[in-house]
Amino acid sequence: MSYKFRFDEKKCTGCFACHTACLDSHYGPGEEGISLRSIKRIVVESKSFQKDICPGCIHCGACARACPCGALLADGDTGIVLARQALCSGCRACESACPVEVIRFDREGRIVKCDGCLTRLKAGREPACVRACPTGAVTVEEERESDERETDG
């Protein structure tokens, strides 16, 4: 079984509840370089959408396929694409491959990306962004192996 994140642009109001929940779930107060304001700046500069919204990582695997260093790898149980910063060379091939333009880099030039709230998923809980979205614009769906084989054919 794997998980796929979905984003419905038409349902998004641009409230940033998903980003706030993500920041709250993953970063401590006052952590250097991390703020809702920095996330909004990334969103405003996005070329993909006309509104100030961000679809978030959909865990499609495009970045992992583009990475020449093996710094991005899909979790075998869930399909969630995880970053292994220690292997990142900073070449940014993943950034070019990302269809939703959500790959970021830290101050050392190493990849930072959504981990799909893997711990929460494995515990049977919704990711923070999905749980916080008041309109249902962000969802996560389980894809069973039989579903994946049917669509490959």
Side-chain angles (χ1 to χ4, degrees), residues 12 24 36 41 44 46 48-49 51 63 77 82 87-88 90 93 97 113 127 133-134 139 147:
C12 180
D24 186 50
L36 182 59
R41 203 165 25 251
V44 170
S46 173
S48 297
F49 299 97
K51 293 191 267 181
C63 58
D77 295 332
L82 302 170
L87 298 177
C88 181
K113 73 169 292 300
C133 182
T139 58
D147 294 340

Side-chain angles (χ1 to χ4, degrees), residues 4 6 143-153:
K4 294 294 177 192
R6 307 279 186 234
E143 290 187 346
R144 305 207 187 295
E145 288 182 36
S146 61
D147 294 340
E148 291 169 6
R149 278 189 296 234
E150 288 175 16
T151 59
D152 289 342

Side-chain angles (χ1 to χ4, degrees), residues 3-37:
Y3 293 91
K4 294 294 177 192
F5 282 71
R6 307 279 186 234
F7 175 74
D8 186 339
E9 177 183 350
K10 293 175 185 152
K11 290 182 179 179
C12 180
T13 62
C15 72
F16 292 95
C18 55
H19 291 294
T20 303
C22 177
L23 292 172
D24 186 50
S25 179
H26 289 86
Y27 303 100
E31 194 163 328
E32 188 177 332
I34 303 297
S35 70
L36 182 59
R37 195 173 204 134

Side-chain angles (χ1 to χ4, degrees), residues 39-52:
I39 299 295
K40 279 189 178 183
R41 203 165 25 251
I42 290 168
V43 174
V44 170
E45 292 172 3
S46 173
K47 298 175 190 109
S48 297
F49 299 97
Q50 294 176 357
K51 293 191 267 181
D52 290 346

